[in-house]
Amino acid sequence: MDSYICASKGYAIGEVYIYEDIKLQSFPDKTDNVETEITRLKDTVKICKKQIEEIARKIRNSVGNKEAEILESHISLLNDPEFIGEIFQEIKDSKKTSEKAVSDVVSKLEEIFSQFDDDEYLKERAADIKDVGTRLIRILSDEEQKDLENLPENSIIVAHDLKPSETARIDKDKVVGIITETGSQTSHTAIMARAMNITAIVGFRDILAKVETGDMVIIDSISGKVIINPDKDIIKHYKELKHKFEKQKEGLKKILDKKIITKDGRKIMVAANIGSLAEVNVALSNGAEGIGLFRTEFLYMDRNSMPSEEEQFEVYKQVAQKMGNKPVIIRTLDIGGDKTLPYLNLTKEDNPFLGVRAIRLCLQNRNIFKIQLRALLRASIYGHIKIMFPMIGSLKELTSAKTILKECMKELQEKSIDFKNNMEMGMMVEIPAAAVMADEFAKHVDFFSIGTNDLIQYTLAVDRMNEGLSDLYNPMNPAVLHLIKTSIHAAHANGIPCYMCGEMAADFSAIPILLGYGLDEFSVSSASILEVKNFILETINQ
């Protein structure tokens, strides 16, 4: 049975266009003229920047700022003195040609990133580096890219993979679907496809061996099917499904501003999970009633040094301002053995998911923690920011985190810097120990937010990244449900709300149960907000 990921929901009916990236021609390894190669590389970097800027401009105008940022991260790479500097150094030290130097540095970095094959963010960074490297070599070798801008109408692109700059060149008025052999829900291909409203399935292994250019294909990324060369009756059936789906999508816009009130008068909110400032506008356009989770670790990645207090302050301030009086829950740094930062020099751990990560890392690195907390406190006067501590497993950890927060408040007061004294502070319930002792923890915080992704894997002792154990990773396991129910009831017994920001918050099979338990807020991806809101409204009105 074929397995794949429905990355962008919808139905697509069209003809296959096989996209196989043109293989780079061989190039000489060595040069006798180092200065000439250095000049060639400098000129190529300039041309490369202009090309990417032009693609980013088109994407910003036709798709959106968030998607353009994917391309702009490529420009950041070209401006990175370490990345480009290492290529120049290869030319100088080893007398390599520009092509060879680029190829070797990119291969080296790809190898480093491949060590973290369970980290989707780092996978995408490796894809970015490869994309930039390939573009540099193409320019150096005067090679053209395969055309993706002038395909016939109703084309379905089938490829092993699509790099960000390739996806950006797709004409969304002519391409109705994408199928790739690699990728994930968070891959650049998936993100771009959702933003461009192109139906997409990724991770379909060996699809290239099953179709040819010109084949008729139906993509059903609602129920997860790819039908090759269907008969007329099946095509007719899917045309009807497609029409119905598009009509339903249009209808969801009517509930953008609708409030959810249960029959017993409880207000339920649907908020957004975001990882960057650019995602705020997308969340708002989809009717987000707040930010239920702002993952701050992305501020620390893709750089060579720690973000300063000022840098962080500006980001938190802008998020708060854009959200107005809507709540913004900002999670403090959640990074550790499984997501390393090169400038932290973290010790490699045998079992990183049970190691020094999240709040444990912050408590061991108080200076890093305090920089972030001061930035959050300073930004609090610009909106409705709430601070959330991740991976809390003991009262000692929670008390230590609150003590450091108070120290930061005192430091700001001494410098006469404004902040909100009554800023809400909460914790994630993602370690079973926290759920078991939820009644005690609830006495010391202003809210809970259940992180189901980790709670499930820790409760069931199942690695959620291990495909061989996917049948055991079950959100509906009675033990998991018991811990969730315990956490929600403990919160309410102590007069505080309980939210959820894990994948389970968007699981239609779980939502009725969570509503029954009394969950106060469902925080999901921006793309899922309207569907989740609509499902909740239908559920409570039955």
Side-chain angles (χ1 to χ4, degrees):
M1 182 179 173
D2 296 318
S3 63
Y4 31 75
I5 297 163
C6 298
S8 181
K9 289 184 178 181
Y11 299 98
I13 305 167
E15 288 193 2
V16 168
Y17 174 80
I18 300 290
Y19 179 77
E20 292 179 295
D21 201 5
I22 301 169
K23 291 183 179 178
L24 296 170
Q25 296 177 5
S26 59
F27 42 75
D29 292 354
K30 296 290 183 180
T31 181
D32 294 324
N33 196 328
V34 169
E35 289 305 318
T36 298
E37 290 302 320
I38 288 174
T39 301
R40 282 183 71 219
L41 182 59
K42 284 180 179 177
D43 292 342
T44 298
V45 169
K46 289 178 184 176
I47 295 169
C48 193
K49 283 182 187 176
K50 285 182 180 178
Q51 287 184 357
I52 296 171
E53 283 168 356
E54 178 59 20
I55 296 171
R57 184 188 64 77
K58 287 180 180 177
I59 288 297
R60 181 174 288 102
N61 292 336
S62 62
V63 183
N65 289 327
K66 176 188 171 186
E67 291 68 36
E69 282 191 355
I70 294 173
L71 276 299
E72 286 168 352
S73 70
H74 292 193
I75 297 172
S76 297
L77 263 176
L78 292 168
N79 288 329
D80 184 346
E82 288 196 17
F83 175 60
I84 294 297
E86 191 171 347
I87 299 173
F88 280 120
Q89 206 60 48
E90 287 286 318
I91 296 172
K92 292 175 185 176
D93 294 348
S94 304
K95 292 187 176 181
K96 293 180 181 178
T97 60
S98 298
E99 292 93 333
K100 177 64 174 170
V102 170
S103 177
D104 286 354
V105 170
V106 168
S107 296
K108 175 185 165 186
L109 291 172
E110 275 191 282
E111 189 176 341
I112 291 171
F113 281 119
S114 69
Q115 299 172 46
F116 308 98
D117 59 355
D118 62 346
D119 190 307
E120 293 299 334
Y121 174 82
L122 294 181
K123 276 185 184 178
E124 294 312 308
R125 292 307 297 139
D128 290 338
I129 290 166
K130 185 176 181 180
D131 196 352
V132 170
T134 302
R135 182 174 289 276
L136 285 170
I137 294 173
R138 284 196 188 286
I139 296 169
L140 286 162
S141 307
D142 289 325
E143 290 190 22
E144 293 294 326
Q145 283 187 301
K146 211 170 178 182
D147 189 13
L148 280 173
E149 297 173 357
N150 298 300
L151 300 182
E153 289 188 0
N154 296 317
S155 289
I156 291 178
I157 295 175
V158 179
H160 174 70
D161 189 20
L162 284 174
K163 294 189 281 293
S165 61
E166 291 168 337
T167 312
R169 290 189 292 118
I170 291 172
D171 184 341
K172 62 180 180 178
D173 294 324
K174 294 180 179 177
V175 174
V176 295
I178 296 171
I179 308 174
T180 62
E181 293 187 325
T182 63
S184 69
Q185 281 284 5
T186 56
S187 66
H188 288 333
T189 301
I191 292 169
M192 295 286 282
R194 287 193 288 269
M196 297 168 82
N197 200 26
I198 296 174
T199 301
I201 276 179
V202 300
F204 191 143
R205 295 176 184 174
D206 301 323
I207 181 63
L208 287 170
K210 299 180 180 186
V211 296
E212 297 177 356
T213 294
D215 281 347
M216 174 66 72
V217 164
I218 293 174
I219 303 176
D220 173 358
S221 63
I222 303 298
S223 56
K225 293 178 185 175
V226 172
I227 305 169
I228 301 168
N229 292 321
D231 61 34
K232 290 180 180 179
D233 289 339
I234 293 176
I235 291 173
K236 181 183 177 183
H237 172 65
Y238 271 96
K239 281 182 177 178
E240 291 170 357
L241 286 178
K242 186 173 185 290
H243 176 72
K244 186 178 178 182
F245 175 75
E246 288 170 353
K247 198 173 179 181
Q248 286 175 338
K249 273 181 72 176
E250 195 62 31
L252 286 177
K253 292 179 182 177
K254 296 176 183 177
I255 63 167
L256 262 175
D257 300 316
K258 191 173 181 64
K259 303 299 179 187
I260 303 174
I261 308 292
T262 64
K263 290 176 181 177
D264 59 355
R266 283 193 305 117
K267 183 181 178 183
I268 295 168
M269 293 178 63
V270 181
N273 296 335
I274 66 169
S276 69
L277 176 61
E279 293 177 61
V280 176
N281 289 336
V282 181
L284 288 170
S285 67
N286 280 285
E289 296 178 86
I291 301 299
L293 171 64
F294 181 9
R295 304 179 184 92
T296 59
E297 52 269 24
F298 292 103
L299 295 174
Y300 294 75
M301 293 177 168
D302 191 26
R303 54 189 300 138
N304 302 309
S305 61
M306 191 70 61
S308 68
E309 181 179 325
E310 207 60 35
E311 285 178 85
Q312 294 188 61
F313 162 68
E314 281 299 326
V315 172
Y316 305 147
K317 170 186 169 183
Q318 288 183 57
V319 171
Q321 287 176 323
K322 284 190 174 188
M323 292 303 294
N325 61 354
K326 294 179 178 179
V328 178
I329 298 177
I330 300 181
R331 182 177 69 186
T332 57
L333 182 60
D334 184 2
I335 209 150
D338 65 319
K339 296 192 213 100
T340 62
L341 299 176
Y343 50 83
L344 280 186
N345 296 317
L346 297 174
T347 303
K348 186 173 175 58
E349 298 176 291
D350 292 332
N351 199 339
F353 280 100
L354 300 180
V356 181
R357 58 176 293 208
I359 200 66
R360 300 168 183 173
L361 174 72
C362 289
L363 293 177
Q364 290 184 19
N365 295 270
R366 289 169 62 98
N367 185 50
I368 293 172
F369 196 27
K370 291 180 83 170
I371 287 171
Q372 182 175 38
L373 292 177
R374 285 196 300 268
L376 284 167
L377 286 166
R378 289 171 57 198
S380 66
I381 62 173
Y382 294 95
H384 188 183
I385 290 177
K386 304 180 184 183
I387 292 178
M388 179 165 69
F389 300 126
M391 285 288 291
I392 295 290
S394 69
L395 278 174
K396 182 181 178 182
E397 288 173 327
L398 179 60
T399 302
S400 297
K402 290 176 71 175
T403 299
I404 295 172
L405 180 61
K406 286 178 181 176
E407 288 175 12
C408 292
M409 289 179 172
K410 187 178 179 182
E411 289 170 10
L412 293 177
Q413 284 173 337
E414 289 172 352
K415 294 180 179 178
S416 299
I417 297 175
D418 290 339
F419 64 91
K420 280 187 180 177
N421 280 304
N422 60 346
M423 194 174 179
E424 291 179 58
M425 183 277 303
M427 60 175 273
M428 289 194 71
V429 178
E430 52 191 338
I431 295 178
V436 171
M437 297 298 293
D439 187 63
E440 191 60 36
F441 280 110
K443 295 176 173 62
H444 302 273
V445 293
D446 298 308
F447 64 89
F448 281 161
S449 185
I450 302 173
T452 54
N453 299 357
D454 275 340
L455 182 63
I456 294 165
Q457 77 168 349
Y458 289 142
T459 303
L460 303 180
V462 174
D463 180 357
R464 59 190 168 100
M465 300 295 186
N466 189 327
E467 292 180 5
L469 298 175
S470 58
D471 59 324
L472 297 178
Y473 184 84
N474 179 17
M476 306 301 281
N477 183 288
V480 174
L481 293 176
H482 175 72
L483 292 179
I484 291 171
K485 183 179 180 180
T486 298
S487 302
I488 295 172
H489 287 186
H492 293 168
N494 286 276
I496 65 170
C498 187
Y499 315 137
M500 182 177 286
C501 58
E503 293 297 321
M504 195 171 172
D507 185 337
F508 285 6
S509 62
I511 288 173
I513 296 171
L514 299 173
L515 286 169
Y517 289 165
L519 188 68
D520 298 292
E521 178 181 284
F522 295 75
S523 192
V524 299
S525 69
S526 295
S528 301
I529 290 172
L530 288 175
E531 288 182 357
V532 169
K533 181 184 275 193
N534 187 58
F535 184 77
I536 292 173
L537 285 167
E538 289 179 348
T539 302
I540 64 175
N541 289 323
Q542 283 179 353

